[in-house]
């Protein structure tokens, strides 16, 4: 039986999948949002997410999972009926997302 | 170990988030319907009041009752959805807590704190280091004191010789003179004040 070492792409497949999923979920958020300024910020975040380098490092994978969780919360906030409190919550979550992405970039 | 995973082991946060989003949408749709029905009811009430024909009034009354019943049914559905949402949010919170505690306990520093023996050993070592450092300082302080006690003041430099003694006597007598003059002046002042009081 012949054993070969996994390629880089095979090793970091989990992280790549999360990065891809995060980037695509932003499309859903863009559709859910009605505020133009908010949509612009989401597009900027999407571009940043697309070009994150996948990694086999556990810390990087945990950071990507954290980003995914925040995106999930943002999806819930945007799905709720639009009122001031939910808009503030969505803005707060977007700020948290920016911080999480910045922390992720430090780990690269 | 049981080979089959339970439903909760297979459950992902994304599934819970999607379920919450779906229910939120349904809840919003029901709330919009309730508001619409309420508006219809208000409209029919106004029309009913303005209407003169009894038959038409009866028709409006039956319509209002039907809409009211539908509205109440929708309100009950919305309450059920809200309760469901509350539980799903609790489930999401539990998943987050699970991930948080699992991640935190795996952190290298968190692992270190789990080793109680090693921690006690390390803390004792730190304490000994501190006590030794303090002892060094106190011993140095004692050495300073001992050396200072051995020292005898040189009278030739700091002591009083006969010339100095004579001058000191002069200074002391001048001080006495000055004090005597001050006392005298104070006494005269007192006497003059007493005189004016008597007058």
């Amino acid at each position: 039986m012949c054993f070969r070492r996994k390629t880089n792409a095979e090793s970091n497949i989990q992280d790549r999948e999360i990065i891809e999923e995060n980037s695509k979920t932003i499309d859903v958020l863009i559709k859910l949002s009605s505020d133009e300024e908010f949509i612009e910020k989401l597009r900027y975040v999407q571009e940043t997410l697309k070009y994150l380098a996948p990694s086999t490092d556990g810390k990087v994978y945990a950071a990507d999972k954290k980003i995914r969780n925040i995106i999930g919360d943002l999806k819930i906030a945007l799905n709720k009926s639009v009122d001031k409190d939910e808009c503030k919550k969505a803005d707060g979550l977007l700020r948290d997302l920016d911080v999480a992405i910045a922390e992720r970039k430090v780990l690269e | 170990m049981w080979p089959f995973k339970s439903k909760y082991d297979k459950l992902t946060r994304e599934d819970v988030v999607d379920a919450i989003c779906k229910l939120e949408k349904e809840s919003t749709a029901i709330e919009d319907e309730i508001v619409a029905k309420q508006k219809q009811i208000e409209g029919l009430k106004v029309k009913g009041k303005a209407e003169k024909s009894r038959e038409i009034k009866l028709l409006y009354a039956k319509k209002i009752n039907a809409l009211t019943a539908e509205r109440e049914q929708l309100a009950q559905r919305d309450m059920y959805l809200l309760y469901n949402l509350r539980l799903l949010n609790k489930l999401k919170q539990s998943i987050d807590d699970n991930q948080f505690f699992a991640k935190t306990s795996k952190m290298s520093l968190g692992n270190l704190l789990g080793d109680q023996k090693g921690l006690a050993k390390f803390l004792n070592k730190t304490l000994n280091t501190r006590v030794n450092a303090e002892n060094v300082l106190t011993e140095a302080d004692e050495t300073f004191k001992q050396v200072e006690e051995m020292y005898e003041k040189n009278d030739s430099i700091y002591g009083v010789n006969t010339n100095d003694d004579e001058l000191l006597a002069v200074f002391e007598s001048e001080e006495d003179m000055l004090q005597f003059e001050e006392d005298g002046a104070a006494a005269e002042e007192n006497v003059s004040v007493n005189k004016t009081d008597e007058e």
Side-chain angles (χ1 to χ4, degrees):
Chain A
M1 195 170 174
C2 182
F3 295 101
R4 67 170 181 86
R5 202 186 262 187
K6 279 188 183 175
T7 62
N8 225 11
E10 285 166 345
S11 318
N12 60 25
I13 187 165
Q14 274 185 324
D15 199 33
R16 272 192 292 121
E17 281 172 359
I18 287 191
I19 292 171
E20 202 182 320
E21 184 193 327
N22 288 344
S23 180
K24 286 182 181 172
T25 314
I26 300 288
D27 280 329
V28 175
L29 300 185
I30 289 170
K31 294 289 179 203
L32 286 170
S33 177
S34 53
D35 184 36
E36 281 304 319
E37 206 180 312
F38 199 79
I39 290 173
E40 268 310 303
K41 288 178 188 172
L42 284 173
R43 286 198 208 281
Y44 178 76
V45 163
Q46 192 180 34
E47 282 304 306
T48 317
L49 283 173
K50 252 195 240 176
Y51 300 110
L52 288 175
S55 169
T56 48
D57 188 352
K59 287 181 188 172
V60 173
Y61 184 61
D64 285 327
K65 281 207 279 191
K66 188 178 170 186
I67 291 171
R68 185 178 60 181
N69 289 353
I70 297 173
I71 291 174
D73 290 341
L74 201 42
K75 197 168 151 187
I76 292 171
L78 290 173
N79 259 299
K80 285 187 178 179
S81 50
V82 176
D83 60 11
K84 266 190 182 170
D85 291 336
E86 288 307 322
C87 288
K88 274 186 192 166
K89 196 173 176 187
D91 285 335
L93 284 168
L94 190 58
R95 270 197 295 278
D96 291 342
L97 185 57
D98 287 335
V99 169
I101 293 171
E103 283 171 354
R104 164 59 165 90
K105 280 183 178 175
V106 167
L107 294 170
E108 272 181 7
Chain B
M1 196 171 133
W2 188 246
F4 302 108
K5 280 189 177 177
S6 81
K7 284 180 212 170
Y8 287 101
D9 291 331
K10 290 180 205 168
L11 186 66
T12 62
R13 195 183 193 269
E14 290 64 49
D15 296 335
V16 179
V17 164
D18 288 341
I20 291 172
C21 290
K22 203 173 153 190
L23 291 183
E24 287 286 356
K25 266 193 216 151
E26 279 189 43
S27 175
T28 309
I30 287 174
E31 281 164 18
D32 290 343
E33 249 188 273
I34 289 173
V35 167
K37 292 223 185 291
Q38 185 60 32
K39 275 189 183 154
Q40 275 183 296
I41 290 166
E42 300 294 328
L44 285 169
K45 277 182 182 171
V46 168
K47 281 185 187 175
K49 278 181 194 166
E51 184 56 52
K52 289 185 180 145
S53 161
R54 194 177 148 67
E55 287 290 319
I56 309 291
K57 274 189 183 181
L58 182 60
L59 173 64
Y60 284 151
K62 287 189 185 296
K63 266 192 170 176
I64 288 168
N65 285 334
L67 284 169
T68 308
E70 281 171 29
R71 190 193 61 188
E72 275 168 20
Q73 227 177 11
L74 286 171
Q76 287 203 342
R77 273 192 213 170
D78 200 24
M79 283 184 225
Y80 175 81
L81 284 175
L82 284 172
Y83 193 76
N84 201 346
L85 277 165
R86 197 156 64 91
L87 294 175
L88 282 175
N89 275 310
K90 277 189 179 176
L91 184 57
K92 183 170 77 83
Q93 188 65 38
S94 302
I95 294 172
D96 287 342
D97 284 346
N98 194 24
Q99 281 177 2
F100 170 75
F101 287 115
K103 189 178 83 174
T104 312
S105 63
K106 276 183 196 167
M107 277 166 63
S108 54
L109 287 178
N111 270 340
L112 279 177
L113 290 173
D115 175 17
Q116 299 299 323
K117 273 188 189 167
L119 179 66
K121 212 172 163 183
F122 172 74
L123 288 173
N124 278 327
K125 191 175 155 192
T126 311
L127 186 65
N128 286 340
T129 309
R130 179 182 163 181
V131 166
N132 289 339
E134 283 170 2
N135 284 343
V136 162
L137 289 180
T138 47
E139 279 169 19
D141 195 21
E142 286 298 314
T143 307
F144 275 122
K145 280 183 192 165
Q146 277 173 13
V147 168
E148 274 167 19
E149 274 164 20
M150 276 169 32
Y151 171 72
E152 280 177 17
K153 210 159 82 168
N154 187 331
D155 277 338
S156 306
I157 302 170
Y158 305 110
V160 178
N161 62 26
T162 43
N163 292 337
D164 296 333
D165 201 25
E166 283 168 12
L167 279 171
L168 279 173
V170 166
F171 292 150
E172 278 162 17
S173 61
E174 281 186 8
E175 268 179 32
D176 288 340
M177 283 294 290
L178 278 170
Q179 190 62 41
F180 179 72
E181 281 168 15
E182 274 174 24
D183 290 343
E188 277 178 24
E189 214 180 299
N190 277 339
V191 162
S192 63
V193 164
N194 287 338
K195 268 189 185 172
T196 51
D197 282 346
E198 277 171 20
E199 281 171 13

